[in-house]
Amino acid sequence: MSDKINTAIELYNKGEYEKAIDIFSSVLETEKPTAEVYNNIAQCYASVGNNEKAEDNFLKALELDPKLPQAYINLADVYFKTKDYGNGIELLCQGIYEIPDNMVLRHYLARFYMEDSRLDLAVDELEKILEVQPENYDAYYDLGKVHFELGNYASAIENFENVLEFKENNQWIYFYLAQAYEANDEIDKAISNYLKTIARDDGFYQAYKKVAILFLARGDYEDAVEYFEDYMEMGIPEEEKANITKLVERIKKKTTNEK
């Protein structure tokens, strides 16, 4: 690697993207172009928000080396940020054709399918990943989300439970798992997982409201009031706070009358 390229990379790492672009451009003028240099200059353009030039240089990198995974990943990031899912999907399919064993590209493709509402195709890609990488908890997480969107709640639960084998202390996993149990009419397990969400993040206001509603539905009025009152302390909008206040008053009145 030439001294110029090393200098340009150092500038990129410091966030001095325009200076890095100048040096990378001079390298392209004086040395034999390589896929790596085009990929690097494209990254600089992407970092300053010039997506058109970034795309152009990533594509030049792939013309020189169609098996350069980082160029596919970097260009896919540009397409994802700009919501250009069609070009992203086309690019990643090409990448998987060139590098069929690269599971990162396949996972990117699954996420593009998810964003483009092509959920069945996302499931296919995620299941292919898990055949090769059965401990890939990110794939289980995404597969759980897709199955939830498809209404396959039992499958969503199974996949979120698989994630917990690797990430026990992630509040979002417990929250999504609780939602899946709730949708699957397993209320006790839903309540348990909403409480685990709160135990790991006592500022997770959505979980307070969710668990309070389930306690109310189950007739556990004291617990419902407790969590509704905690929820009202979370800085929620005034209109929401007023509605919850009225609900809590009705619950307290009901329990008082029953006594």
Side-chain angles (χ1 to χ4, degrees):
M1 188 178 294
S2 71
D3 291 340
K4 274 189 174 182
I5 293 175
N6 285 329
T7 300
I9 291 172
E10 288 176 8
L11 289 168
Y12 173 84
N13 290 333
K14 291 178 183 177
E16 299 182 41
Y17 305 119
E18 297 289 357
K19 291 181 180 179
I21 288 170
D22 289 340
I23 296 176
F24 279 129
S25 296
S26 70
V27 170
L28 291 173
E29 293 172 359
T30 59
E31 301 179 21
K32 183 179 179 180
T34 67
E36 288 75 13
V37 171
Y38 278 120
N39 179 65
N40 288 334
I41 196 170
Q43 277 288 78
C44 293
Y45 279 120
S47 296
V48 298
N50 192 331
N51 293 325
E52 185 175 342
K53 285 192 175 181
E55 178 185 25
D56 182 56
N57 282 279
F58 282 132
L59 292 175
K60 287 178 180 177
L62 291 170
E63 285 178 14
L64 290 175
D65 183 0
K67 296 186 184 297
L68 184 64
Q70 203 57 45
Y72 288 107
I73 291 168
N74 292 335
L75 181 51
D77 280 335
V78 171
Y79 287 143
F80 197 86
K81 289 173 184 175
T82 57
K83 301 185 185 301
D84 188 353
Y85 303 128
N87 274 327
I89 289 168
E90 182 180 348
L91 170 78
L92 291 164
C93 287
Q94 176 191 340
I96 291 169
Y97 174 80
E98 295 287 351
I99 323 169
D101 295 333
N102 191 301
M103 294 299 110
V104 175
L105 296 180
R106 199 172 289 280
H107 204 153
Y108 266 73
L109 179 58
R111 287 179 171 168
F112 270 83
Y113 282 142
M114 290 168 68
E115 292 297 324
D116 204 38
S117 299
R118 297 159 75 173
L119 300 183
D120 289 338
L121 292 175
V123 169
D124 290 342
E125 296 302 325
L126 292 166
E127 287 180 346
K128 288 174 185 175
I129 293 168
L130 289 168
E131 287 175 7
V132 178
Q133 299 175 337
E135 296 185 356
N136 188 326
Y137 61 82
D138 282 330
Y140 285 120
Y141 172 77
D142 284 336
L143 193 54
K145 290 177 68 176
V146 173
H147 278 303
F148 185 87
E149 290 297 319
L150 289 169
N152 302 330
Y153 302 123
S155 294
I157 289 166
E158 179 183 353
N159 282 283
F160 288 137
E161 291 282 11
N162 285 335
V163 177
L164 290 176
E165 293 184 17
F166 307 98
K167 294 180 75 70
E168 294 181 3
N169 293 315
N170 186 294
Q171 65 270 26
W172 280 103
I173 300 302
Y174 284 110
F175 184 75
Y176 290 135
L177 185 55
Q179 287 186 306
Y181 275 124
E182 181 180 354
N184 207 43
D185 292 326
E186 298 181 70
I187 302 305
D188 289 345
K189 289 183 178 179
I191 288 173
S192 174
N193 281 281
Y194 283 131
L195 293 176
K196 288 175 182 177
T197 303
I198 293 167
R200 283 155 182 81
D201 181 358
D202 60 7
F204 203 121
Y205 68 93
Q206 302 98 319
Y208 285 90
K209 183 178 182 180
K210 286 276 193 177
V211 77
I213 291 171
L214 292 184
F215 276 133
L216 178 61
R218 202 170 68 174
D220 297 336
Y221 301 123
E222 187 174 331
D223 288 329
V225 168
E226 176 186 347
Y227 283 95
F228 275 132
E229 289 180 339
D230 287 340
Y231 173 63
M232 287 190 289
E233 298 299 319
M234 296 284 168
I236 61 176
E238 287 301 317
E239 183 179 356
E240 170 79 345
K241 190 172 182 178
N243 291 334
I244 298 299
T245 298
K246 292 177 183 177
L247 175 59
V248 168
E249 289 172 354
R250 290 199 298 271
I251 297 169
K252 288 181 177 179
K253 183 176 181 180
K254 175 181 176 64
T255 56
T256 299
N257 291 337
E258 288 179 353
K259 291 178 182 179

